[in-house]
Amino acid sequence: MSYIVIILAVLVLLNSYPLLVSQNLVFRSKQTSMNSSVKMIESSLSGLAQLTTENVGQALSDLRETGVSRIIVTDTAGYVLYDTRETGNAQGMYAFYTEVAQALDGNDAYFCRYDSEAFLSRCAQPVVYRNQIIGAIFAYEYDTEQARLLQSFQKNLATISVIVGVLVLLLSVLLSRLFTRQISDLLQAIRSVREGAYSRRANVRGTDEIAQIAAEFNSLTDRLQTTENARRRFVSDASHELKTPLAGIRLLTDSILQTDEMDGTTVREFVTDIGQEAERLSRITEDLLRLTRLDSDNVDRPAVIPVKPVLERVVRMLGMVAREKEVSISWEADDRAVVMTTEDDIHQILYNLMENGIKYSSQMGFVHTAVTVEGEAVVIRVEDNGIGIPDEDMEHIFDRFYRVDKMRSRQVGGTGLGLSIVRDTVVRRGGTVAVEHRKSGRGSVFTVRLPLAEGGEL
Ligand code: ADP
């Protein structure tokens, strides 16, 4: 709105200022031309000691064309001695013009007026003989030609202004419509997304600021949609995972209840199965809780943790499981390997990777863990000669609930969350985790890289 006011002000200025300037120019040029005409007449009258009708008429009889409409010469009393006008000649009368009075007082007088039809200018000068005022010359001009020129100039300016004004108005209406439509499109998209329609995108073309905001909004919505999809998948996977052991428990209890005469050994077997299912449930919920904690910003404050003692503890904990499966565990650790994290995190990483190594090993297999320092990184390598991971599953095994072989994972007590916990924990602590096939024979190698804690050489 304000820019319309500015444009209107500019148009008004355009219509008035040039006109005023040209008017002034005409006034000034008229003054010079009339002054010089009067001077010319004055020089014709020079030498006359006294002005009379006769000697003035005689002196001015052969006066060339002056370009002035009317010339009057008066004596000291303002009595007209000479007048060029034919109709309404004032000769023999008194000239009651202010300019004449001023000239008789010894001053040069000039007056000019523009009345939209003509430039009316009057000019008077005293006629002096030996420092004595002996009369006055009065010139009068009524110029319609210059006025017409000025008028057409004024008209042109007005036409141009009107055209510009209309164009500006049309353009601003058009632009504001376009702007409002873009904004309302964007607003509508924002509202839809707020209501949960994450697939909705703002449809704004162009490269202006609104289009940029819309593009930012669209990429934000993309991220929201991805997160929302991941959340939904996670919730549905989690419910599914919880449902399976619950259904198992239900089936087992129903069987006990519905079988009239069940001997003690069978009941014990059933109850043992129920216990195992319950244990799986609690493992899943524990893993889920851990993942939720990793998702939130609520992580424990890190400290400088040496990896070796934690590894020793994990090896002790997994010793029995390994012995049961006849899998041998070996390890080596650099004393300089210290990481900025929590003991719990490093324990979880080592435990999950090594437990997987044992779980997915064949009998008489081995799991070897090496902790080294490579430049600015602490590298944890967990290698096994187990069943290995098929190529097509390699990129997915860190996904939540992803298992290469569901049955086998369940049999060995897996939840499908172990590796996602490892990845999330490692990423949180500024590291990376990768998996590859073992170079010499069957099996896999998991490599975790974490930043070496500063001043870590304890
Ligand atoms: P799970 O609880 O099923 O072990 P993880 O997230 O720990 O879940 O692992 C995901 C899947 O990756 C497992 O189901 C398994 O198929 C595969 N996997 C993980 N570690 C190994 C390994 N050392 N050897 C072979 N397969 C593995």
Side-chain angles (χ1 to χ4, degrees):
M1 200 61 212
S2 56
Y3 78 94
I4 292 185
V5 174
I6 293 172
I7 286 170
L8 280 179
V10 168
L11 288 179
V12 168
L13 200 73
L14 192 78
N15 271 275
S16 50
Y17 185 69
L19 287 177
L20 276 177
V21 170
S22 26
Q23 244 179 53
N24 269 337
L25 278 176
V26 175
F27 285 171
R28 230 169 288 152
S29 82
K30 286 247 172 281
Q31 187 175 15
T32 354
S33 79
M34 285 183 78
N35 268 343
S36 66
S37 304
V38 171
K39 277 258 151 35
M40 205 166 74
I41 295 160
E42 198 203 354
S43 69
S44 308
L45 297 178
S46 66
L48 298 179
Q50 206 179 8
L51 300 180
T52 60
T53 316
E54 289 74 31
N55 65 7
V56 171
Q58 215 166 20
L60 300 183
S61 61
D62 53 343
L63 189 71
R64 286 180 283 114
E65 185 62 44
T66 53
V68 181
S69 316
R70 185 182 188 184
I71 292 167
I72 289 174
V73 180
T74 69
D75 65 7
T76 45
Y79 182 76
V80 178
L81 303 168
Y82 177 84
D83 187 353
T84 51
R85 190 187 262 183
E86 276 159 24
T87 45
N89 192 305
Q91 203 166 336
M93 291 194 271
Y94 284 94
F96 295 113
Y97 291 109
T98 335
E99 290 77 16
V100 174
Q102 277 173 349
L104 291 175
D105 266 352
N107 304 313
D108 288 357
Y110 175 73
F111 167 82
C112 190
R113 182 161 62 87
Y114 170 67
D115 65 358
S116 85
E117 269 179 26
F119 280 98
L120 190 146
S121 19
R122 294 195 296 258
C123 166
Q125 271 177 29
V127 184
V128 181
Y129 179 75
R130 291 195 180 161
N131 287 337
Q132 195 88 52
I133 297 170
I134 54 165
I137 306 165
F138 173 79
Y140 171 91
E141 197 187 66
Y142 189 78
D143 185 351
T144 50
E145 206 159 303
Q146 295 253 36
R148 251 204 316 278
L149 268 176
L150 199 70
Q151 253 176 343
S152 78
F153 178 47
Q154 196 172 9
K155 224 188 264 167
N156 284 345
L157 271 183
T159 323
I160 291 172
S161 305
V162 168
I163 293 173
V164 170
V166 169
L167 274 179
V168 164
L169 213 72
L170 280 179
L171 213 72
S172 51
V173 167
L174 210 80
L175 282 179
S176 80
R177 279 255 176 98
L178 208 76
F179 185 76
T180 334
R181 218 187 46 219
Q182 280 185 327
I183 290 270
S184 74
D185 275 359
L186 187 59
L187 262 179
Q188 225 150 26
I190 291 175
R191 283 195 193 115
S192 308
V193 171
R194 193 193 58 200
E195 298 300 324
Y198 294 109
S199 55
R200 178 81 148 82
R201 296 285 175 278
N203 183 23
V204 177
R205 281 178 296 274
T207 50
D208 57 7
E209 279 74 11
I210 300 212
Q212 280 173 26
I213 294 176
E216 284 298 323
F217 167 75
N218 284 345
S219 61
L220 187 80
T221 319
D222 277 344
R223 283 213 44 188
L224 267 180
Q225 192 172 19
T226 320
T227 321
E228 177 62 12
N229 288 347
R231 191 185 67 83
R232 284 199 184 142
R233 209 173 39 244
F234 181 60
V235 170
S236 107
D237 287 350
S239 338
H240 185 75
E241 289 299 325
L242 293 172
K243 226 168 70 189
T244 322
L246 281 173
I249 291 174
R250 185 78 201 273
L251 207 75
L252 289 163
T253 48
D254 280 355
S255 313
I256 296 174
L257 291 173
Q258 277 160 21
T259 317
D260 291 337
E261 283 174 24
M262 195 179 262
D263 64 88
T265 330
T266 324
V267 172
R268 194 162 294 121
E269 270 173 18
F270 274 47
V271 173
T272 312
D273 287 348
I274 291 174
Q276 270 171 2
E277 292 298 322
E279 200 187 313
R280 208 165 97 209
L281 269 179
S282 83
R283 254 199 322 272
I284 296 175
T285 38
E286 245 170 58
D287 280 358
L288 283 175
L289 274 175
R290 183 167 272 276
L291 275 173
T292 325
R293 257 220 328 275
L294 283 169
D295 276 346
S296 71
D297 286 333
N298 197 6
V299 279
D300 295 336
R301 272 170 63 105
V304 177
I305 307 289
V307 183
K308 192 174 170 183
V310 186
L311 176 60
E312 283 171 345
R313 218 172 40 250
V314 174
V315 171
R316 270 199 303 278
M317 283 175 81
L318 287 172
M320 211 169 74
V321 193
R323 266 194 302 280
E324 262 174 28
K325 273 205 77 177
E326 295 180 32
V327 174
S328 66
I329 302 182
S330 57
W331 62 274
E332 56 189 298
D334 192 327
D335 286 320
R336 293 170 306 153
V338 283
V339 189
M340 199 61 183
T341 177
T342 62
E343 211 170 296
D344 194 32
D345 280 354
I346 205 83
H347 182 277
Q348 194 71 42
I349 295 168
L350 288 168
Y351 190 92
N352 286 10
L353 292 179
M354 288 172 69
E355 194 200 19
N356 275 354
I358 300 166
K359 275 194 311 197
Y360 301 105
S361 265
S362 23
Q363 265 190 351
M364 308 301 290
F366 74 82
V367 175
H368 180 72
T369 306
V371 179
T372 51
V373 174
E374 289 179 17
E376 291 296 293
V378 169
V379 182
I380 302 171
R381 249 186 219 98
V382 180
E383 181 177 348
D384 66 69
N385 63 346
I387 56 170
I389 301 157
D391 280 338
E392 63 271 23
D393 296 302
M394 281 273 197
E395 57 174 316
H396 297 297
I397 54 161
F398 293 101
D399 293 351
R400 294 176 182 188
F401 295 116
Y402 191 86
R403 292 142 158 156
V404 176
D405 177 350
K406 263 196 181 349
M407 274 308 293
R408 187 182 176 120
S409 163
R410 287 222 176 88
Q411 272 166 14
V412 292
T415 59
L417 293 172
L419 285 182
S420 10
I421 291 175
V422 170
R423 190 203 41 203
D424 288 8
T425 313
V426 168
V427 170
R428 251 263 126 118
R429 298 301 177 193
T432 57
V433 57
V435 61
E436 58 193 339
H437 299 299
R438 201 161 72 92
K439 300 259 168 5
S440 47
R442 224 161 65 128
S444 337
V445 185
F446 285 84
T447 311
V448 171
R449 281 173 185 278
L450 287 164
L452 178 71
E454 262 174 48
E457 280 161 52
L458 296 171

